[in-house]
Amino acid sequence: MELFDRMVSLILLPLIYSPLYVAVSLGFNILFSSTRIINIAYGDLVMIGAYTAYWLYAIYKIPPIASIPVAAVIGIFIGYVMYTIIYNRILASGSVSVIEEQSIIATFGLSMAIQGVVAYLWSPTAVSYTYLEQGVAIGSILVPLNVFIIMITGVIMAFTTYILLYRTYIGVAIRGIIQAPRLALDIGLNTSKIYMLASIISTVLPVVAGAAISMRVQINPFMGVEYLVIALVITALGGLGNPVGSLVGAILYALMDSAIGYLLPPGLKLFYLYTLFLLVLLVRPTGIMGRPQVVR
Amino acid sequence: MVVEIRIDRVSKWFGGIKALDNVSLEVSRGEVIGLIGPNGSGKTTLLNILRCLLKPDRGWVEISGVRLNGMDPERLADLGVASIYQFPRVIKDLTVAENVALAVLKRQKNLWRAELLAIEYLKDVGLGGKAHMLAAKLNRYEVRLMELARAMAMKPRVLLIDELLSGLSEEEQREIRGLVRSYLDSSGATAIWVEHAIGSLVREVDRLVVLNYGSLIADGEPEKVIRDQRVIEAYLGSYTIA
């Protein structure tokens, strides 16, 4: 049975987490590939979601499942505000390099500001809470119930996003813009509306993911960077601009993350992640399922 | 006769090179203009000015009475202007029907209905059977047909075509010329159609206009224009340079 247990902890558990990773990377991937905006504050959105669930539970005893819709509303609001205040100004330049540069600078500042404000308001000390900790036995390994909530949330988010991207007009338009921004203009698509929607998708996904993951992690103002790196690595792995690439990338990432944890000493996780990221960029800059860059 | 496209004394420089030199042209509603000229004669530059991708240094352009100089190209579609580009613009990861549906989405927000509409346009160009294939699988000729269907799907008042025929076989050229001409006849759209080869548009257009070194050197009945001594010299000259 030992082999079975090992398989559960090394393969099954990471796979349970991967839908959430799919959702987290989709948000980053969609925004970057449709608008060329790189959101450095992306991980901080996960942090905001985590604090949302934490406070709603700590103060009002609202269970995290119920705070997920609240997190979604907050995510929509943030996406709307970020688009109207920051993104549409940056996008007005119309130049890829300017958009990339300015978005990094603006969102880097935003990231610092968010972390500072949160640390000031709620102290830099990590907090956590327990909800549905009781375990379900798979073999001899106890898997906490809340892990399944995280999985289901991830599946719902990823599934909804794929339906949106592949079966609705706005989704097809987003995919069209990702590959042929000029064409979208020519055929009279309302690009600003589409960019705003891409911005909203890219904030709802991480905020909701944060609310879900808050049941399992230490919540602190600086937790976001890990999720930014996860989003970057998965996007690089799977391929920029390919939503299906995010799915493949997330599964690969989850398995590699677990292998790293098993084979190598802990504590340097971010170091390994970044090394992996750089290796992917060196060996296959377009990712597993990526296409060569589209020229605007 | 209503003037749909008016180009008035337009000049355009790129650095020290004069790409367009005092070009004037009026196109009536429903008229189909063929625009030919040797390489580098300014055909695409003129089209790009009409597409608001370039701003003339002198003179001005007007479509349906609206002054275009410096207008946001995003507004062109609202004016009813559709373009087919010299280099195909395909969204490879979308199906053929989705590629065309994007052009319908402005008036039909329901993706399923937009796709049905798109398929109708694809049938018109003979691509109905490939509607659900990924656009990446189409060959060059089929891509051009798809782009034609996409332009038709926009129901344009003005169609700007840039070298639709280049790279196609004789038979494919004949086929696609017929499709464009019958579409233009039935829709009543105004068109400026740019091609490189001198004889390619003689039967398809109402008027043939020739550019050489940025200047308009001929404008008139196609059969007459291609016999014009200056036009022949412009083309021969370009061959000796090449």
Side-chain angles (χ1 to χ4, degrees), chain A residues 175 179 186 188 191 291, chain B residues 74 85 89 92-94 106:
Chain A
R175 284 164 58 222
Q179 287 187 43
D186 292 337
T191 46
R291 323 185 140 275
Chain B
E74 216 162 323
Y85 286 82
R89 297 196 166 182
K92 290 184 177 154
D93 287 346
L94 300 189
K106 199 146 185 100

Side-chain angles (χ1 to χ4, degrees), chain B residues 109-122:
Chain B
K109 300 271 186 229
N110 179 312
L111 181 64
W112 188 69
R113 287 202 203 115
E115 271 178 352
L116 286 183
L117 251 172
I119 290 169
E120 290 307 309
Y121 287 104
L122 285 167

